[in-house]
Amino acid sequence: MAIVVNMPRLSDTMEEGTVATWLKKVGDKIEEGDILAEIETDKATMEFESFNEGTLLHIGVQEGETTKVDELLAIIGDEGEDISALLNGGGSASNEVVEEKTEAPAASNEAETPKDSGDTKTELPEGVIVVTMPRLSDTMEEGTVATWLKQVGDTVEEGDILAEIETDKATMEFESFQSGTLLEIGLKEGESAKVDELLAIIGPAGTDVSGVAANFSASSPTSSKEEAPKVEAKSEVSKPAPAKAETKSKAPTPTPVTENGRVYVSPLAKKLAEEKGINLTKVQGSGENGRIIKRDIENYEPAAGAAAVGKFVPSGTEDFDEVPNSQMRKAIAKSLTKSKFSAPHYYLAVEFDMDNAIAFRKQFNSIPDTKISFNDIVVKACAMALKQHPQVNSQWFDDRMRLNNHVHIGVAVAVPDGLVVPVVRFANEQSLPQIGAEVKELAGKARNKKLTPDEMSGSTFTVSNLGMFGIDYFTSIINQPNSAILSVGSIVQKPVVKEGEIVVGNTMKLTLACDHRTVDGATGAQFLQTLKGYIENPVTMLV
């Protein structure tokens, strides 16, 4: 009997998907576990496995095309089977069955044996621990296993890295908080599951856990759910170190293995390569059988070559290229549109005298091993001014307003496919060198896609600086749920009037975008007056 395969929901925010590549064609035999296609979501490009066997009878979405979640993607059945009724009817009769198999294989077990799931904890064999998908950030609802670092049968010690798990914003190492033998893996690499769904089972070697895996439900009480806060805290510390160790100890020597024109590459590595504009055929893979993995992309250094030139178009010829919107671009557009049209924006523009700031920075940087930027001065000044104007450091909710007494400043950083906002926490409590070091570290992580969800959440105010690009004035869209964002332009040398005389001065224009629901015009103006005092006399920030 033919089965309709719908576009799967591969992330918690996914509403539509784009078929990047079909790895099977009509007429091919399909086995359970075969990769049907690579699907681009709003967060990543992921391999989509078949949970059915048969012959691929129909492809409903061609490469490069986009369709909504749960719309017809393909049809699998017996060779030569008549599927005209499914095509004419859109396959609606079979949709529910396929959703259960493609999105959550364990869900069918829950539906058939709901009572068994409640007894999972009491029926666990002695010493067996069920490890569930951890919640690695406060907004995470689903995770994808990018790489398993342990295999079934391996001995696991407390603190060992079990797997790399990809969330909507970062890929994080997941540590084991138990010791034993890895008895069961609930998700293959590239597969996704909701938070608290089965990830793995650890226990004494040789223990039969087939019944535990079959009857597990996300509602089952397990001790692993209590581990999530530990994972979140440890991931920030443990993430960078292993990457450096691998870089030194393993040099990628094998060449990429290709078959039928396909380069063997992990989904995460492919995503990173697309973001950095790296040609995968030029990368040497160091994974199993020459597979290209994340560290190969991070360590890739292209050979020196000619500078890129624009496309040649004959004179008098109309020409254009159409580039499909990536899922990340669509997500950014949706978020900014919501902010622009839900929050009543207004703008306050000011121009500050930067002569004292320039002299201050020059003297400050004369201290050995010290280097701060003008952006660091702005961030510090904003943090101190926000403490005096909590209304600008606020958030709007339908039934209340939250005035934050802590200051977490988001610093907008441009990345190849969009914009991310890492957060400098408790910025008012940090010194200028500390802010400078943290901003530099966060910006580097942002460009290398190594930011953790925690490092991008919780901002109470945002600073966006385009001064380094020679932009002297611009406005920004508020990064909700913040109530304001400060746009910082370049420092310009021009004639100014001081003490009745025209002299050469240095000025900088700043624009504060405010949400009128929380910040009135006078409130925003008073904040800028306080900010002016700090930036034009930066020595006051050292008190």
Side-chain angles (χ1 to χ4, degrees):
M1 177 181 175
I3 297 176
V4 175
V5 180
N6 293 329
M7 175 64 72
R9 188 182 300 277
L10 299 175
S11 78
D12 55 325
T13 58
M14 177 179 172
E15 295 181 1
E16 63 182 12
T18 302
V19 176
T21 308
W22 277 105
L23 303 179
K24 298 289 184 180
K25 60 181 183 296
V26 174
D28 286 356
K29 296 292 184 182
I30 308 295
E31 299 292 336
E32 184 176 349
D34 284 355
I35 306 298
L36 284 179
E38 293 180 343
I39 296 177
E40 180 185 354
T41 73
D42 56 337
K43 297 170 180 176
T45 299
M46 305 171 63
E47 293 180 342
F48 176 51
E49 295 186 7
S50 172
F51 294 89
N52 302 283
E53 297 181 354
T55 300
L56 184 56
L57 303 176
H58 175 75
I59 288 178
V61 183
Q62 300 302 315
E63 291 185 358
E65 291 184 351
T66 302
T67 191
K68 298 286 186 183
V69 169
D70 296 335
E71 291 292 328
L72 173 66
L73 180 65
I75 299 177
I76 297 174
D78 298 328
E79 186 174 1
E81 185 176 351
D82 182 11
I83 59 172
S84 57
L86 291 175
L87 293 175
N88 294 334
S92 58
S94 302
N95 287 355
E96 295 182 3
V97 176
V98 178
E99 281 183 357
E100 291 178 1
K101 293 185 177 181
T102 56
E103 291 192 28
S108 59
N109 294 330
E110 293 181 35
E112 293 170 3
T113 58
K115 293 182 180 180
D116 293 344
S117 63
D119 298 332
T120 303
K121 184 174 182 180
T122 58
E123 295 178 1
L124 283 178
E126 184 177 355
V128 170
I129 299 293
V130 175
V131 181
T132 57
M133 176 64 73
R135 186 182 299 278
L136 300 175
S137 76
D138 55 347
T139 59
M140 176 180 171
E141 296 182 5
E142 184 178 66
T144 301
V145 176
T147 308
W148 278 105
L149 303 180
K150 296 288 186 179
Q151 303 300 322
V152 172
D154 286 356
T155 299
V156 178
E157 299 293 337
E158 183 176 350
D160 285 354
I161 306 299
L162 282 179
E164 293 181 344
I165 296 178
E166 182 178 354
T167 69
D168 55 342
K169 296 179 180 178
T171 299
M172 305 172 66
E173 292 179 340
F174 175 50
E175 295 183 9
S176 173
F177 293 89
Q178 310 293 334
S179 298
T181 299
L182 185 57
L183 304 174
E184 176 83 14
I185 285 179
L187 294 173
K188 298 178 182 177
E189 291 184 358
E191 290 185 346
S192 303
K194 299 290 185 182
V195 170
D196 294 335
E197 291 288 347
L198 176 66
L199 180 65
I201 299 177
I202 296 175
T207 305
D208 181 11
V209 293
S210 57
V212 176
N215 296 321
F216 179 79
S217 165
S219 60
S220 305
T222 64
S223 60
S224 58
K225 292 183 182 179
E226 300 174 0
E227 297 171 7
K230 296 181 182 179
V231 177
E232 186 177 349
K234 288 199 174 187
S235 59
E236 297 182 35
V237 179
S238 62
K239 180 67 180 173
K244 292 179 181 178
E246 290 177 350
T247 302
K248 293 180 180 179
S249 61
K250 295 185 180 180
T253 53
T255 56
V257 179
T258 61
E259 183 179 313
N260 298 326
R262 181 191 175 196
V263 178
Y264 282 89
V265 55
S266 72
L268 178 59
K270 182 177 181 181
K271 177 187 174 186
L272 291 175
E274 290 175 350
E275 292 168 346
K276 295 185 176 185
I278 296 175
N279 184 347
L280 288 172
T281 61
K282 305 294 185 183
V283 181
Q284 294 181 323
S286 62
E288 186 177 358
N289 297 322
R291 190 180 193 220
I292 299 173
I293 56 179
K294 181 179 70 172
R295 68 164 174 264
D296 300 325
I297 301 299
E298 293 175 341
N299 298 331
Y300 175 71
E301 295 182 3
V309 296
K311 178 181 178 182
F312 171 75
V313 178
S315 177
T317 302
E318 292 184 352
D319 183 83
F320 61 87
D321 296 311
E322 289 189 346
V323 180
N325 292 327
S326 68
Q327 297 301 320
M328 180 180 287
R329 268 288 155 205
K330 291 178 183 178
I332 291 173
K334 182 177 179 180
S335 175
L336 294 183
T337 299
K338 179 181 178 182
S339 175
K340 183 66 174 178
F341 293 104
S342 65
H345 286 55
Y346 72 92
Y347 305 93
L348 300 173
V350 291
E351 187 171 15
F352 290 170
D353 183 346
M354 295 299 290
D355 285 346
N356 287 341
I358 292 173
F360 172 83
R361 176 175 178 264
K362 183 177 180 180
Q363 288 183 329
F364 205 98
N365 285 345
S366 66
I367 301 172
D369 301 322
T370 301
K371 185 173 179 62
I372 61 171
S373 67
F374 289 111
N375 192 66
D376 301 330
I377 295 175
V378 171
V379 170
K380 176 66 173 179
C382 286
M384 297 185 70
L386 287 168
K387 287 294 291 182
Q388 300 179 44
H389 301 276
Q391 196 87 5
V392 184
N393 198 40
S394 64
Q395 295 171 340
W396 170 266
F397 299 94
D398 289 339
D399 59 345
R400 67 193 186 282
M401 184 191 306
R402 175 181 294 168
L403 303 179
N404 295 297
N405 297 316
H406 59 277
V407 179
H408 295 342
I409 294 188
V411 180
V413 177
V415 295
D417 200 28
L419 189 73
V420 294
V421 186
V423 179
V424 179
R425 297 181 179 277
F426 305 106
N428 61 301
E429 301 175 13
Q430 298 195 45
S431 66
L432 280 166
Q434 288 173 329
I435 289 176
E438 186 167 352
V439 169
K440 183 177 180 181
E441 179 185 5
L442 291 172
K445 284 185 176 183
R447 297 186 182 99
N448 292 323
K449 299 298 180 184
K450 292 183 178 179
L451 284 173
T452 66
D454 267 0
E455 291 169 330
M456 292 183 285
S457 62
S459 66
T460 60
F461 185 85
T462 307
V463 173
S464 180
N465 191 338
L466 292 179
M468 68 285 293
F469 298 107
I471 304 299
D472 63 348
Y473 169 84
F474 68 105
T475 60
S476 302
I477 298 175
I478 297 171
N479 177 36
Q480 290 190 334
N482 297 171
S483 290
I485 181 171
L486 185 70
S487 306
V488 183
S490 61
I491 297 176
V492 178
Q493 192 174 68
K494 67 176 188 179
V496 297
V497 177
K498 289 187 176 182
E499 298 179 357
E501 296 184 357
I502 298 177
V503 297
V504 176
N506 295 275
T507 65
M508 181 174 69
K509 292 180 180 179
L510 302 94
T511 310
L512 183 70
C514 302
D515 183 342
H516 218 317
R517 296 173 300 182
T518 50
V519 183
D520 294 329
T523 304
Q526 290 166 1
F527 167 78
L528 289 175
Q529 286 180 338
T530 304
L531 185 67
K532 177 184 177 73
Y534 284 125
I535 291 181
E536 291 191 346
N537 300 282
V539 68
T540 59
M541 292 189 289
L542 301 179
V543 178

